[in-house]
């Protein structure tokens, strides 16, 4: 039959041809998805010949961003089909942006901060910014959402992180008092009874994590692990 005549090719064989294929197609780099998840295909993704600059505004004005309906929605960019990619920071307890020098990590952090600030008033969202490199985040000084100034002093950075941990612990006590399971239900209860002020969400943005890990690895790791494990509810 026709099916038996088809030649079987191992997936590994196709994947190993990545460099030959990019040479044949004069492409800078190819992405081979072998196999495409949930389908019996091998996908070969070829980049466009012309690079398109993705503007933040076009993502913020898109239907996808509007549909996110989350106060912590962030614009990330466009996917291979050119559709806007929007994520909800509330659904991820923490987010690590990695990449080589010049690949756009700081631009990404800046656009995340811009998305958050555009979506929230200072009463609903407060930002804590740490920038050991003293280059990227200091442009946000003077923003009403900021707690204090952008912290650039490497010796004081650990103090800022410790403060965030203490704030988290304090909030857990307040949640316990109101029998609330998270910040949303706490704010709902407090505002319904007019018994106090709503808690603003706090987002901590750190540029150059590697500098902190080199300077004080034990303290940094201890504080970050506590925040990553527990800070989501508060």
């Amino acid at each position: 039959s026709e099916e038996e005549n088809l030649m079987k090719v191992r997936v590994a064989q196709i994947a190993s041809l990545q460099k030959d294929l990019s040479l044949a197609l004069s492409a800078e780099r190819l992405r081979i998805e072998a196999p495409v998840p949930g389908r019996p295909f091998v996908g070969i993704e070829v980049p466009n010949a012309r690079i398109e600059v993705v503007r933040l505004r076009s993502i913020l004005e898109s239907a996808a961003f509007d549909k996110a309906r989350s106060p912590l929605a962030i614009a990330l960019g466009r996917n291979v089909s050119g559709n806007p990619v929007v994520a909800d920071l509330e659904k991820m307890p923490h987010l690590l942006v990695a990449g080589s020098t010049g690949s756009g990590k700081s631009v990404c952090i800046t656009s995340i901060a811009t998305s958050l600030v555009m979506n929230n008033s200072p009463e609903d969202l407060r930002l804590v910014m740490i920038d050991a490199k003293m280059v990227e985040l200091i442009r946000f000084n003077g923003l009403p959402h900021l707690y204090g100034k952008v912290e650039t002093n490497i010796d004081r950075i650990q103090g800022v992180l410790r403060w965030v941990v203490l704030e988290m612990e304090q909030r857990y006590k307040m949640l316990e008092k109101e029998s609330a399971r998270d910040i949303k239900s706490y704010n709902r209860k407090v505002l319904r009874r007019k018994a106090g002020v709503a808690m603003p969400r706090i987002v901590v943005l750190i540029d150059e994590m590697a500098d902190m890990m080199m300077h004080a690895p034990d303290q940094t790791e201890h504080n970050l692990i506590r925040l990553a494990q527990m800070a989501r509810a508060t």
Side-chain angles (χ1 to χ4, degrees):
S1 77
E2 196 182 317
E3 272 182 38
E4 283 168 359
N5 293 333
L6 290 172
M7 202 172 75
K8 290 192 170 80
V9 181
R10 287 182 183 277
V11 167
Q13 261 179 289
I14 301 171
S16 66
L17 292 173
Q18 190 160 351
K19 285 186 178 163
D20 299 320
L21 286 167
S22 26
L23 181 67
L25 294 166
S26 323
E28 201 177 313
R29 61 175 181 272
L30 288 182
R31 201 164 73 119
I32 294 184
E33 191 89 349
V36 173
R39 289 174 149 213
F41 302 127
V42 171
I44 299 174
E45 214 173 78
V46 186
N48 295 324
R50 192 171 55 83
I51 291 172
E52 189 184 340
V53 175
V54 178
R55 306 273 175 209
L56 182 62
R57 178 175 178 159
S58 64
I59 315 273
L60 293 174
E61 289 175 345
S62 68
F65 192 80
D66 193 45
K67 222 186 284 174
R69 293 257 177 270
S70 164
L72 297 188
I74 51 176
L76 289 180
R78 294 187 181 276
N79 63 13
V80 284
S81 317
N83 299 323
V85 176
V86 174
D88 183 4
L89 196 60
E90 205 160 341
K91 286 182 181 160
M92 31 181 145
H94 53 279
L95 169 66
L96 179 67
V97 183
S100 57
T101 307
S103 60
K105 299 186 295 294
S106 297
V107 174
C108 181
I109 291 183
T110 306
S111 49
I112 287 171
T114 308
S115 306
L116 294 171
V117 166
M118 277 196 65
N119 247 1
N120 298 279
S121 69
E123 290 76 41
D124 298 329
L125 173 84
R126 302 310 296 264
L127 297 176
V128 173
M129 289 189 176
I130 293 169
D131 185 2
K133 207 167 54 172
M134 289 185 266
V135 177
E136 285 303 326
L137 295 178
I138 48 173
R139 69 180 76 168
F140 285 102
N141 269 331
L143 196 69
H145 298 69
L146 258 182
Y147 268 136
K149 279 187 164 186
V150 177
E151 190 51 76
T152 54
N153 184 319
I154 197 88
D155 298 314
R156 284 206 306 262
I157 283 172
Q158 294 307 322
V160 173
L161 274 185
R162 269 197 306 278
W163 175 83
V164 179
V165 172
L166 289 170
E167 175 68 19
M168 173 189 75
E169 288 166 355
Q170 183 63 32
R171 286 181 169 209
Y172 266 111
K173 286 175 192 160
M174 290 161 79
L175 256 61
E176 194 182 6
K177 214 191 288 181
E178 284 290 335
S179 310
R181 55 188 289 261
D182 58 20
I183 188 168
K184 261 187 193 163
S185 54
Y186 174 88
N187 285 346
R188 244 196 331 266
K189 284 183 177 185
V190 163
L191 292 172
R192 198 186 299 141
R193 290 207 335 262
K194 297 188 173 70
V197 266
M199 268 184 208
R201 285 176 171 81
I202 297 176
V203 173
V204 183
L205 288 157
I206 302 172
D207 201 12
E208 286 306 313
M209 180 76 81
D211 284 2
M212 289 168 55
M213 290 304 288
M214 278 190 319
H215 188 257
D218 297 340
Q219 280 175 293
T220 306
E221 192 176 352
H222 172 75
N223 289 327
L224 288 179
I225 286 173
R226 290 215 56 190
L227 288 170
Q229 284 176 339
M230 293 173 65
R232 191 180 193 170
T234 59

